[in-house]
Amino acid sequence: MSFESEKSFSDFTNFPRGIRRSGRFSVKESELLEEFGTAMMEIYKGERKPKDSAEKEFAAQIHSNSIPTDPFAKVFKKYLKEISPRKTHDLTASGGDEDGDGSYDSSDDSIE
């Protein structure tokens, strides 16, 4: 059988209440991750060589930039996306003032 592992997968660092209770995965996705996630992570990190065609397909899809079609690759890419750092945008504007105190002096705006 593909993705065999003796221990179930958990990531309490990123999901302190567990993958199933995080609300980010469906029931089926969380079951796949918990049951096969350890093997998928080992293949992803290169700690384990793919044993059969399903694992080879997973490895090929997980390391490519294409959209995965394999259900294992789909759920594992979703997991990787969920644990990746979020990109944030700073929406504060710089007033361009020289003194850096954040104040704006309207007397500098002269209309001619």
Side-chain angles (χ1 to χ4, degrees), residues 3-107:
F3 302 101
E4 288 180 346
S5 180
E6 293 180 10
K7 52 185 185 172
S8 65
F9 182 71
S10 60
D11 182 357
F12 293 114
T13 304
N14 294 300
F15 304 102
R17 297 178 61 205
I19 292 171
R20 185 179 303 253
R21 298 183 77 191
S22 70
R24 296 184 189 173
F25 302 97
S26 69
V27 173
K28 185 176 181 177
E29 290 172 337
S30 61
E31 286 174 354
L32 279 174
L33 282 171
E34 289 174 350
E35 189 173 346
F36 306 112
T38 302
M40 290 190 282
M41 182 64 80
E42 290 171 353
I43 293 169
Y44 172 71
K45 289 183 174 181
E47 298 170 355
R48 170 180 166 169
K49 300 239 186 254
K51 295 179 181 177
D52 58 14
S53 61
E55 290 185 5
K56 288 177 185 175
E57 182 66 24
F58 168 80
Q61 288 188 17
I62 204 68
H63 291 294
S64 72
N65 290 331
S66 63
I67 297 172
T69 55
D70 178 63
F72 293 102
K74 280 183 183 180
V75 72
F76 198 74
K77 274 203 172 192
K78 183 176 179 179
Y79 165 77
L80 293 174
K81 182 180 175 188
E82 290 292 331
I83 65 169
S84 67
R86 303 272 190 242
K87 293 181 182 177
T88 59
H89 300 283
D90 189 10
L91 299 178
T92 59
S94 173
D97 55 344
E98 294 293 323
D99 54 2
D101 66 356
S103 63
Y104 179 75
D105 186 10
S106 63
S107 64

